[in-house]
Amino acid sequence: MASGARDKNNKPKKVITITSKADFDKTIEEAGNKHVLVEFFATWCGPCAIIGPQLEVMANEYEDCLLVLKIDVDDNEELAMQYDINSMPSFLIIKDKVTLEQFVGSNAEKVQTTLQKFCGKPEDKKAIKPGTSAKPAEKPPMKLMSMLKAVTPAIMKPDSSKPADKK
């Protein structure tokens, strides 16, 4: 399934290169609750080569909710035919073995927008980490009191519409 490929910083790559239909079926089965972004590409396809590094970045950004797969159409014709792939790069979003969306083109912004549609924005997920609170660590009471004083209207006399004199 996943090759032991490493990026330029010697970190394991997150994008999984699929080598066979059996490999694809097993990966989709094991995806669990995650969405799967599938890129159908060809080694001779210039736009595919351009978007490749951006897919690696997206795979890292969305690692908690997404698997990213690459399938070479020349090596996996059966899968390309199964998904009616006629142009490269072509993308699928799959969840629970169901294709939710399919689109064509090496537009990284379109891929990002589609991922956000299904997975949310990565910065939203990083803002609140599991086991932490969204509340600030400290709440200085004096600051809160001065804010309340600033927005609280002056106390009115019971029998007058004029503010009470300060004593």
Side-chain angles (χ1 to χ4, degrees):
M1 180 168 76
S3 59
R6 301 208 167 250
D7 67 11
K8 63 185 177 184
N9 297 321
N10 203 29
K11 292 181 181 176
K13 289 193 171 195
K14 298 274 186 195
V15 176
I16 301 167
T17 301
I18 297 298
T19 57
S20 67
K21 183 171 180 356
D23 188 18
F24 176 77
D25 291 340
K26 181 181 180 202
T27 304
I28 294 295
E29 181 74 36
E30 293 175 351
N33 197 30
K34 290 186 175 187
H35 288 84
V36 181
L37 173 68
V38 182
E39 178 203 16
F40 285 91
F41 77 102
T43 55
W44 46 263
C45 168
C48 300
I50 291 170
I51 200 164
Q54 294 168 332
L55 293 177
E56 190 66 43
V57 170
M58 291 177 207
N60 283 306
E61 287 178 339
Y62 290 94
E63 69 183 327
D64 61 332
C65 68
L66 179 77
L67 290 179
V68 180
L69 311 181
K70 290 180 66 109
I71 301 174
D72 186 333
V73 295
D74 293 327
D75 294 339
N76 298 281
E77 290 180 21
E78 183 181 357
L79 283 169
M81 288 174 40
Q82 177 181 338
Y83 289 99
D84 196 27
I85 303 301
N86 298 312
S87 301
M88 275 78 59
S90 285
F91 295 93
L92 306 173
I93 299 284
I94 299 173
K95 184 167 184 183
D96 298 323
K97 302 180 193 174
V98 176
T99 301
L100 303 175
E101 190 156 333
Q102 185 166 345
F103 57 97
V104 177
S106 118
N107 181 338
E109 189 173 308
K110 167 72 173 163
V111 176
Q112 185 78 31
T113 301
T114 304
L115 293 179
Q116 288 176 4
K117 175 180 166 182
F118 292 104
C119 298
K121 292 184 179 183
E123 57 269 12
D124 292 346
K125 295 180 182 308
K126 291 178 184 174
I128 303 172
K129 298 190 181 216
T132 63
S133 173
K135 298 176 185 174
E138 298 177 25
K139 289 185 182 178
M142 294 308 293
K143 186 173 183 179
L144 180 61
M145 291 304 293
S146 60
M147 286 177 18
L148 285 172
K149 287 178 184 175
V151 296
T152 304
I155 300 173
M156 306 295 276
K157 288 184 179 179
D159 58 340
S160 171
S161 61
K162 295 182 182 178
D165 292 334
K166 292 183 182 178
K167 295 182 181 182

